[in-house]
Amino acid sequence: MDPNQVNHMAGAIAGMMGFFMLFGIAIVVFAIFLFWRILTKAGLAGPLALIVLFPGIGWIIVVCILAFSDWRVVPAPNPNGGLQPYPPPPTSYPPAPASYNPPPPPQP
């Protein structure tokens, strides 16, 4: 191989590595942002999202914290203002009289 060609290949590989590093850092920063928001909405401390920075197992630790902890949040208000959207269904429909005797079958 021509030495000039080797230099071009090395420069291309270095440029791709730089791009992949920036892309990876952007993904990690975005994941920290997402986990920070989820943890604060769950009533936990937001800085727990920095555990994601531990390589390999950090993501699993944060997901386990979210899965197994008690979420200290206020329940969402009822969108109907405390009213039931529909009346409760009847126990039997149509209501049959208590002393119902069906008519006898017709005689041929």
Side-chain angles (χ1 to χ4, degrees), residues 24-62:
I25 290 172
I27 288 175
V28 170
V29 167
F30 186 64
I32 290 172
F33 170 74
L34 291 179
F35 278 124
W36 194 296
R37 294 286 308 250
I38 293 170
L39 287 165
T40 54
K41 286 185 180 187
L44 300 169
L48 283 174
L50 296 176
I51 296 174
V52 171
L53 293 175
F54 289 113
I57 198 163
W59 300 67
I60 297 170
I61 293 172
V62 173

Side-chain angles (χ1 to χ4, degrees), residues 6-94:
V6 171
N7 287 340
H8 287 299
M9 290 286 276
I13 291 172
M16 285 190 299
M17 285 179 59
F19 174 75
F20 288 136
M21 290 289 287
L22 285 176
F23 187 71
I25 290 172
I27 288 175
V28 170
V29 167
F30 186 64
I32 290 172
F33 170 74
L34 291 179
F35 278 124
W36 194 296
R37 294 286 308 250
I38 293 170
L39 287 165
T40 54
K41 286 185 180 187
L44 300 169
L48 283 174
L50 296 176
I51 296 174
V52 171
L53 293 175
F54 289 113
I57 198 163
W59 300 67
I60 297 170
I61 293 172
V62 173
V63 170
C64 288
I65 289 172
L66 285 170
F68 298 114
S69 66
D70 292 330
W71 288 32
R72 297 179 299 268
V73 295
V74 178
N78 189 353
N80 300 319
L83 301 175
Q84 294 293 329
Y86 298 106
T91 55
S92 66
Y93 188 80

